[in-house]
Amino acid sequence: MKTRETKIINQGLEDEMEVWGYQPCLWKMVLVGVGAVCSGGLLLLLLYWLPEWGVKGTCTYTSLRDARTLLLRTTDEFRQWFRVRVHVMVASGRKPFDSLDLLSTSLLPNGDNIINSVHEEHHGKCSHTQTAQTNYFTHHSTKYYWSDVIQNFEVFQGLEDLKVSCAHIHSDHSSGLSKTLQEYRMLFFGENEIAVRVPSLFKLLIKEVLNPFYIFQLFSVILWSFEDYYYYATAIVFMSAISIATSLYTIKKQYVMLHDMVAAHSVVRVSVCRGNKDIEQALSTELVPGDVIIVPANGMIMPCDAVLIHGTCIVNESMLTGESVPVTKTSLPSVGEEASVSYNIEEHKRHTLFCGTRVIQTRFYAGELVKAVVVRTGFSTEKGQLVRSILYPKPTDFKLYRDAYLFLMCLVGVAGIGFIYTIVLSIMNKVPAKTIIIESLDIVTITVPPALPAAMTAGIVYAQRRLKHIGIFCISPQRINMCGQLNLVCFDKTGTLTEDGLDLWGIQRAEEDSFSPPESDAAKESLVTSAFVACMASCHSLTNIEGELSGDPLDLKMFSATGWILEEPTEEETALHNPIMPTVVRPPKRIVPEANQNNQLTQNMELPELSPCEIGIVRQFPFSSALQRMSVVVRRLGEKHMDAYLKGAPEVVAILCKQHTVPQSFTETLETYTRQGFRVIALAHRQLESKLSWHKVQSLSRDLIETNMDFLGLIIMQNKIKVETAGVLQELRKANIRTLMVTGDNMLTGISVARDCGMVRTHEKVIIADAVPPKESQPASITWHYTENHQTIKDHQTVEMNLEEQEEGYDKRVTQLEHNYHFAVSGRAFAVIMEHFPQLVQKLVLRATVFARMAPDQKTQLVEVLQSIDYTVGMCGDGANDCGALKRAHSGISLSELEASVASPFTSSTANISCVPNLIREGRAALITSFCVFKFMALYSIIQYVSVTLLYSILSNLGDFQFLFIDIAIILIIAFTMSLNPAWKELVCHRPPSSLISGPLLFSVLTQILTSLVFQVLVFLLVRQQVWYETWTPQSDACNISSFSLSLNVTNPHDHKNIRNYENTSLFYISSFQYISVAIIFSKGKPFRQPSYKNWPFMLSCIGLYTFLLLIMLYPVPAIDKFLEIVCVPHDWRVTLVIIVVVNAAVSFMLEILILDIILWRLVFRENQGANAPHSPPSADTPQEANDHWGSSFLSWLFCRRNKPPKVRYMHVALELQDDTDWPPRPSTITYANDTQSQNSDPL
């Protein structure tokens, strides 16, 4: 057999896929056609459900270049298959950025199919032009084009594909595209639109109906119709119709909502530059990468991703980030070191306007319009990728759903046994062939509950409704169950654990080589003309929007502390001046004269005494999370030179300053503040050369300006911990849920906040892993710093005593759970460790609690690492820098005011972390509800299966109305009301099971199946032993009720199906009670749900059904008996049945509650569910504890669970660390990348 080469597309990306090429094969297609006809279309359905079979069954393997059909398979854990068709495009080139010389000015070929003869005739005059054919296919709204160079399919994202530098964008792409080149590129990139096509109801209906479950239902209905079970068949059709209608309504509504969200402002008119001078109006759908658009002064909603090359924009990016704070976008650097770097949309996002974001205002030169080069269009844009992730979500990887399918396969296996049993029994009894076929297939339909999907969904729908009631909105309901399994939650710090707003605690100015005493008031008159206050007043990205100052909360607090006023030029003022009209800041007029009068006593670093205090902001270098700083170039009114002001992380600012201007006590002072949890920002100043002109400044690189600065001092901001934070974190700790802090703030500030909020307890030490990359001959290294422990001697003694006790007598499995140290890692160190110390990553994240100075992509990377060691990860952030991590986590919750955030599965309208335990509680309740409903539906199938199998042995069956009563009156009502239990009010220390294939659940289901089987067989045999028993006929008179017998005789002279008999009646009674008793037993409350007696719809249903069944059993009503096709039995037998029902319920209750919940769960199945479980030190065993220990040992041996290795990776790592004497590393040691041993260094 020919070796099949596997190619990879999107290699290394989230949507990486394997691809194989195929060509249609005539003889295979003929065979499939014959098979489809012979199977009545079932073969076509099978090939529809299994795309890989469909392709392999109708095509032959070929090379990708010659393929007409492709088979794709994702490389992730889901291994999804897709079938796509290859198209051919005819164009003047093979790539969108080919040279203009290849193009004909009049060639406008078709972009979707091979140019046909009509098209060639239409363009006959250019048919001689040399053209190239390019194969392409479309998958998930992305086009893939064949490349002869790489011999594979590739995606054209946009201008980034050229890998051009920022300077080249200015020089080569700033003039715009000709119309011909724009039309050529549109062939490859298509129209610039994020097209969310709302499928027609008919198309959705066909797709929904072809679901395997509904096909099975159709098969069942046809079968029941042959048996004249019209009522039951009608009920199933009615239920399926409601289910399909509900599903169609929901899907259609989601499509319409997404379409409306995307369609709003998606098509606008834009001004496009054609060549250097020409400007034309065009629709935004015509834009292609390389086009130059003009951003109007009054703003616009961006129809594409574009990079600014002239001017400045203020943008609201809340659509992408959930953060409504306006962001300032500046033009792309054109000269200097920054300009030589290749343009990257992520690295240069401060210069990039993203699709869907709103440009609020622009800043520009008169005569020089605000221009931007289109970088990406359509689904390649940031907004397009977000919409794609919603349109084509990954399957929810949750063990419950996988196990549910396995369980259904088991039920199908049971059905198979019944199928064979029925056939054999029927042949032995010489039953007609038609009856054998119908009854043997009927037993299969009984084992798969028709209401299972609807019943399973009900619990999630109810949980979603309860979450909405407490202000948590959900756009991914399947993830609610996942929340019930969370055992680790990552928290952002600012705005999440701490207050969003910062309060100015004070300032500390630098004078010569030391700090002056801290000052609380930055607005006092003596400081008005100081460079320090000038920096506070000008170094920010604030703007006036509709008369209100808007911008970053830190900038707002800092600026308001100065008491200065910000004035921005109007459009009219800007148009009147050749140079740009700057934003101006100045102190209130009432204090300016006084400030000028008091200028005779000049201070160090003050500006010239006679200068007015008005300052114009000439250029802004926005804050960059990668650089951790921002700067501005300003000119004071009347001055001939300009000044540069810088603010940022103190460690970064100090490096950019002249060392003699940085106070000697800088490090100690900074540590003092950060240890107390203060947010510290450093300021710096530099006087620029007089020869610098306004225009020259606009083209300068920030690296040239942000150097050789004079250190001004520190701003100390107080970031208070939210009132709810400590309580919530303590609740999560008690619930055995590990908590981490992932922040962009300073390391020591993060550690201080972690201690203050209880994430790190008083007696626990924190080890800072400070990693540095390799330099010259030195390999990468990690230095381990131990921070000071703020604790008393008593705390030390307590810890030592606990550890000693553990070493003496505590179980080894528990010692690794004792948390007495935490790691703290910075973003820089995290990057080095990921690259150079991969063997330490898992060890480190197992104990790391504080991650500081983390970039947004590093937060996502951290979530992935935690997931790789089998943590179920939650992420809680404010939506600004956490979008990637929120999407990547199993459960991301955004603390945003937006009711529905595209970035996060869950969004809380309550701006504190109290939503996290609420979400976990509801998740646990929904998960337990899913288990309860699934177990109940499985038992319902088996109970009914047993009843029917027993009745088949006497050539009988349940009646049509008996089926109807059981399925509608009992099962549906119970299944939908048992899901209504609200969540339990507390989080307990263990999680619900995540798998149906687990000891407790299997024990529960199997024991209840056995109990039901035993009691049904008992009743079946007992009734045949009764003295009054006989083969029932219409003339039978076991009750001595002649009128009833007569009426039966008259109404139904013949009972062809043998429904009415004593066995049927007895089994109907006993099974009806079994359904209700297992529902009550499985509907568990504490510790994850409220008790069932608080679920009044469920209780009323159970009481009502019990009452009705007891009434018709003890006091028969002829009309009801006639309707349900049950016969009259003696009163003594009815009493016996009641006793059997009571005993059955008692046995079921004892097996489930006493044996499983109390004995087995407590002694055998309970396992440690995290490496962070809080454990108290062992004490002398009480007699009860000794018995428990003995019982646990015996039962664990009996169930083969002694020394069973943990299933999850993080527990394996924890057990390995338990035996590692060199972990954690000792204080003041260094670990090198090429060493396995730690080497001692000098004390740090």
PDB file of all heavy atoms in Angstrom, residues 30 69 131 175 384 412 444 529 563 635 764 807 822 899 911 985 994 1105 1205 1223:
ATOM      1  N   VAL A  30     -20.348   4.430  -7.236  1.00  0.00           N
ATOM      2  CA  VAL A  30     -21.420   3.529  -7.679  1.00  0.00           C
ATOM      3  C   VAL A  30     -21.768   2.543  -6.570  1.00  0.00           C
ATOM      4  O   VAL A  30     -22.946   2.303  -6.260  1.00  0.00           O
ATOM      5  CB  VAL A  30     -21.008   2.785  -8.972  1.00  0.00           C
ATOM      6  CG1 VAL A  30     -22.007   1.674  -9.291  1.00  0.00           C
ATOM      7  CG2 VAL A  30     -20.896   3.755 -10.137  1.00  0.00           C
ATOM      8  N   THR A  69     -10.763  16.871  -3.286  1.00  0.00           N
ATOM      9  CA  THR A  69     -11.427  16.817  -1.979  1.00  0.00           C
ATOM     10  C   THR A  69     -10.345  16.639  -0.918  1.00  0.00           C
ATOM     11  O   THR A  69      -9.381  15.887  -1.131  1.00  0.00           O
ATOM     12  CB  THR A  69     -12.417  15.638  -1.905  1.00  0.00           C
ATOM     13  OG1 THR A  69     -13.451  15.830  -2.876  1.00  0.00           O
ATOM     14  CG2 THR A  69     -13.064  15.550  -0.528  1.00  0.00           C
ATOM     15  N   THR A 131      -2.047  33.959 -17.250  1.00  0.00           N
ATOM     16  CA  THR A 131      -2.701  33.796 -15.948  1.00  0.00           C
ATOM     17  C   THR A 131      -2.201  32.532 -15.273  1.00  0.00           C
ATOM     18  O   THR A 131      -1.615  31.652 -15.908  1.00  0.00           O
ATOM     19  CB  THR A 131      -4.235  33.707 -16.101  1.00  0.00           C
ATOM     20  OG1 THR A 131      -4.542  32.605 -16.955  1.00  0.00           O
ATOM     21  CG2 THR A 131      -4.815  34.991 -16.654  1.00  0.00           C
ATOM     22  N   SER A 175       1.301  55.437   0.465  1.00  0.00           N
ATOM     23  CA  SER A 175       0.639  56.210  -0.594  1.00  0.00           C
ATOM     24  C   SER A 175      -0.668  55.596  -1.063  1.00  0.00           C
ATOM     25  O   SER A 175      -1.442  56.229  -1.753  1.00  0.00           O
ATOM     26  CB  SER A 175       1.591  56.377  -1.791  1.00  0.00           C
ATOM     27  OG  SER A 175       1.965  55.099  -2.269  1.00  0.00           O
ATOM     28  N   GLY A 384     -12.755  39.560  13.777  1.00  0.00           N
ATOM     29  CA  GLY A 384     -13.112  38.400  12.970  1.00  0.00           C
ATOM     30  C   GLY A 384     -12.736  37.097  13.644  1.00  0.00           C
ATOM     31  O   GLY A 384     -13.486  36.119  13.618  1.00  0.00           O
ATOM     32  N   VAL A 412     -26.928   0.113  25.101  1.00  0.00           N
ATOM     33  CA  VAL A 412     -27.155  -0.524  23.802  1.00  0.00           C
ATOM     34  C   VAL A 412     -26.735  -1.994  23.863  1.00  0.00           C
ATOM     35  O   VAL A 412     -27.385  -2.868  23.283  1.00  0.00           O
ATOM     36  CB  VAL A 412     -26.379   0.228  22.691  1.00  0.00           C
ATOM     37  CG1 VAL A 412     -26.389  -0.546  21.383  1.00  0.00           C
ATOM     38  CG2 VAL A 412     -26.974   1.611  22.482  1.00  0.00           C
ATOM     39  N   VAL A 444     -34.986  -2.694  21.869  1.00  0.00           N
ATOM     40  CA  VAL A 444     -33.859  -1.771  21.670  1.00  0.00           C
ATOM     41  C   VAL A 444     -34.304  -0.341  21.940  1.00  0.00           C
ATOM     42  O   VAL A 444     -33.592   0.443  22.579  1.00  0.00           O
ATOM     43  CB  VAL A 444     -33.288  -1.901  20.236  1.00  0.00           C
ATOM     44  CG1 VAL A 444     -32.190  -0.877  19.994  1.00  0.00           C
ATOM     45  CG2 VAL A 444     -32.768  -3.305  19.992  1.00  0.00           C
ATOM     46  N   THR A 529       5.616  74.923  40.265  1.00  0.00           N
ATOM     47  CA  THR A 529       6.574  75.081  39.161  1.00  0.00           C
ATOM     48  C   THR A 529       7.650  74.003  39.166  1.00  0.00           C
ATOM     49  O   THR A 529       8.584  74.068  38.379  1.00  0.00           O
ATOM     50  CB  THR A 529       7.260  76.462  39.256  1.00  0.00           C
ATOM     51  OG1 THR A 529       7.845  76.596  40.564  1.00  0.00           O
ATOM     52  CG2 THR A 529       6.255  77.576  39.017  1.00  0.00           C
ATOM     53  N   GLY A 563      -4.310  69.072  40.840  1.00  0.00           N
ATOM     54  CA  GLY A 563      -5.258  70.182  40.793  1.00  0.00           C
ATOM     55  C   GLY A 563      -5.190  70.970  39.501  1.00  0.00           C
ATOM     56  O   GLY A 563      -5.831  72.014  39.362  1.00  0.00           O
ATOM     57  N   ARG A 635       6.398  71.239  25.807  1.00  0.00           N
ATOM     58  CA  ARG A 635       7.051  72.557  25.777  1.00  0.00           C
ATOM     59  C   ARG A 635       6.309  73.476  26.705  1.00  0.00           C
ATOM     60  O   ARG A 635       5.094  73.590  26.625  1.00  0.00           O
ATOM     61  CB  ARG A 635       7.066  73.121  24.363  1.00  0.00           C
ATOM     62  CG  ARG A 635       7.565  74.574  24.326  1.00  0.00           C
ATOM     63  CD  ARG A 635       7.746  75.097  22.930  1.00  0.00           C
ATOM     64  NE  ARG A 635       9.043  74.742  22.398  1.00  0.00           N
ATOM     65  CZ  ARG A 635       9.399  74.960  21.130  1.00  0.00           C
ATOM     66  NH1 ARG A 635       8.540  75.511  20.300  1.00  0.00           N
ATOM     67  NH2 ARG A 635      10.590  74.629  20.702  1.00  0.00           N
ATOM     68  N   GLU A 764       3.892  31.299  56.497  1.00  0.00           N
ATOM     69  CA  GLU A 764       4.424  30.687  55.284  1.00  0.00           C
ATOM     70  C   GLU A 764       5.467  31.588  54.634  1.00  0.00           C
ATOM     71  O   GLU A 764       5.279  32.800  54.553  1.00  0.00           O
ATOM     72  CB  GLU A 764       3.277  30.400  54.299  1.00  0.00           C
ATOM     73  CG  GLU A 764       2.294  29.378  54.841  1.00  0.00           C
ATOM     74  CD  GLU A 764       1.041  29.249  53.996  1.00  0.00           C
ATOM     75  OE1 GLU A 764       0.686  30.219  53.295  1.00  0.00           O
ATOM     76  OE2 GLU A 764       0.419  28.186  54.054  1.00  0.00           O
ATOM     77  N   GLU A 807       6.565  14.195  60.139  1.00  0.00           N
ATOM     78  CA  GLU A 807       7.641  13.281  59.810  1.00  0.00           C
ATOM     79  C   GLU A 807       7.562  12.010  60.651  1.00  0.00           C
ATOM     80  O   GLU A 807       7.917  10.933  60.199  1.00  0.00           O
ATOM     81  CB  GLU A 807       8.992  13.965  60.040  1.00  0.00           C
ATOM     82  CG  GLU A 807       9.296  15.015  58.972  1.00  0.00           C
ATOM     83  CD  GLU A 807      10.469  15.895  59.349  1.00  0.00           C
ATOM     84  OE1 GLU A 807      11.088  15.635  60.398  1.00  0.00           O
ATOM     85  OE2 GLU A 807      10.747  16.817  58.600  1.00  0.00           O
ATOM     86  N   HIS A 822       5.775  29.225  49.425  1.00  0.00           N
ATOM     87  CA  HIS A 822       5.191  29.611  48.138  1.00  0.00           C
ATOM     88  C   HIS A 822       6.293  30.183  47.262  1.00  0.00           C
ATOM     89  O   HIS A 822       7.221  30.819  47.771  1.00  0.00           O
ATOM     90  CB  HIS A 822       4.111  30.697  48.311  1.00  0.00           C
ATOM     91  CG  HIS A 822       2.956  30.287  49.162  1.00  0.00           C
ATOM     92  ND1 HIS A 822       1.757  29.887  48.647  1.00  0.00           N
ATOM     93  CD2 HIS A 822       2.815  30.233  50.517  1.00  0.00           C
ATOM     94  CE1 HIS A 822       0.925  29.603  49.632  1.00  0.00           C
ATOM     95  NE2 HIS A 822       1.552  29.802  50.774  1.00  0.00           N
ATOM     96  N   GLU A 899     -22.861  43.363  29.997  1.00  0.00           N
ATOM     97  CA  GLU A 899     -23.686  42.206  30.334  1.00  0.00           C
ATOM     98  C   GLU A 899     -23.221  40.953  29.608  1.00  0.00           C
ATOM     99  O   GLU A 899     -23.331  39.853  30.115  1.00  0.00           O
ATOM    100  CB  GLU A 899     -25.154  42.501  29.978  1.00  0.00           C
ATOM    101  CG  GLU A 899     -26.095  41.398  30.406  1.00  0.00           C
ATOM    102  CD  GLU A 899     -27.536  41.812  30.317  1.00  0.00           C
ATOM    103  OE1 GLU A 899     -27.885  42.820  30.924  1.00  0.00           O
ATOM    104  OE2 GLU A 899     -28.301  41.120  29.648  1.00  0.00           O
ATOM    105  N   ALA A 911     -18.724  43.826  40.709  1.00  0.00           N
ATOM    106  CA  ALA A 911     -17.299  44.061  40.469  1.00  0.00           C
ATOM    107  C   ALA A 911     -16.419  43.597  41.623  1.00  0.00           C
ATOM    108  O   ALA A 911     -15.532  44.319  42.080  1.00  0.00           O
ATOM    109  CB  ALA A 911     -17.067  45.535  40.174  1.00  0.00           C
ATOM    110  N   LYS A 985     -25.539  26.295  50.186  1.00  0.00           N
ATOM    111  CA  LYS A 985     -25.095  27.643  50.548  1.00  0.00           C
ATOM    112  C   LYS A 985     -23.606  27.750  50.856  1.00  0.00           C
ATOM    113  O   LYS A 985     -23.061  28.844  50.935  1.00  0.00           O
ATOM    114  CB  LYS A 985     -25.918  28.156  51.738  1.00  0.00           C
ATOM    115  CG  LYS A 985     -25.911  27.258  52.959  1.00  0.00           C
ATOM    116  CD  LYS A 985     -26.795  27.814  54.058  1.00  0.00           C
ATOM    117  CE  LYS A 985     -26.837  26.920  55.281  1.00  0.00           C
ATOM    118  NZ  LYS A 985     -27.582  25.675  55.057  1.00  0.00           N
ATOM    119  N   SER A 994     -16.190  13.681  38.748  1.00  0.00           N
ATOM    120  CA  SER A 994     -16.234  14.235  37.389  1.00  0.00           C
ATOM    121  C   SER A 994     -16.596  13.178  36.362  1.00  0.00           C
ATOM    122  O   SER A 994     -16.779  13.481  35.197  1.00  0.00           O
ATOM    123  CB  SER A 994     -14.873  14.835  37.020  1.00  0.00           C
ATOM    124  OG  SER A 994     -13.880  13.827  37.048  1.00  0.00           O
ATOM    125  N   LEU A1105     -47.874  11.784  42.684  1.00  0.00           N
ATOM    126  CA  LEU A1105     -47.785  10.496  41.997  1.00  0.00           C
ATOM    127  C   LEU A1105     -47.958   9.333  42.964  1.00  0.00           C
ATOM    128  O   LEU A1105     -48.656   8.356  42.665  1.00  0.00           O
ATOM    129  CB  LEU A1105     -46.444  10.385  41.261  1.00  0.00           C
ATOM    130  CG  LEU A1105     -46.330  11.224  39.976  1.00  0.00           C
ATOM    131  CD1 LEU A1105     -44.890  11.288  39.496  1.00  0.00           C
ATOM    132  CD2 LEU A1105     -47.223  10.655  38.876  1.00  0.00           C
ATOM    133  N   PRO A1205      -2.145   4.723  42.857  1.00  0.00           N
ATOM    134  CA  PRO A1205      -1.485   5.977  42.461  1.00  0.00           C
ATOM    135  C   PRO A1205      -2.517   7.025  42.058  1.00  0.00           C
ATOM    136  O   PRO A1205      -3.587   6.692  41.539  1.00  0.00           O
ATOM    137  CB  PRO A1205      -0.626   5.560  41.260  1.00  0.00           C
ATOM    138  CG  PRO A1205      -1.268   4.323  40.738  1.00  0.00           C
ATOM    139  CD  PRO A1205      -1.876   3.635  41.923  1.00  0.00           C
ATOM    140  N   TRP A1223      14.463  20.104  47.389  1.00  0.00           N
ATOM    141  CA  TRP A1223      13.348  21.005  46.996  1.00  0.00           C
ATOM    142  C   TRP A1223      12.522  21.350  48.215  1.00  0.00           C
ATOM    143  O   TRP A1223      12.162  20.459  48.975  1.00  0.00           O
ATOM    144  CB  TRP A1223      12.479  20.324  45.950  1.00  0.00           C
ATOM    145  CG  TRP A1223      11.544  21.286  45.251  1.00  0.00           C
ATOM    146  CD1 TRP A1223      10.251  21.547  45.563  1.00  0.00           C
ATOM    147  CD2 TRP A1223      11.852  22.121  44.143  1.00  0.00           C
ATOM    148  NE1 TRP A1223       9.728  22.481  44.730  1.00  0.00           N
ATOM    149  CE2 TRP A1223      10.697  22.863  43.835  1.00  0.00           C
ATOM    150  CE3 TRP A1223      13.006  22.342  43.386  1.00  0.00           C
ATOM    151  CZ2 TRP A1223      10.649  23.787  42.805  1.00  0.00           C
ATOM    152  CZ3 TRP A1223      12.947  23.256  42.351  1.00  0.00           C
ATOM    153  CH2 TRP A1223      11.789  23.967  42.065  1.00  0.00           C
TER     154      TRP A1223
END
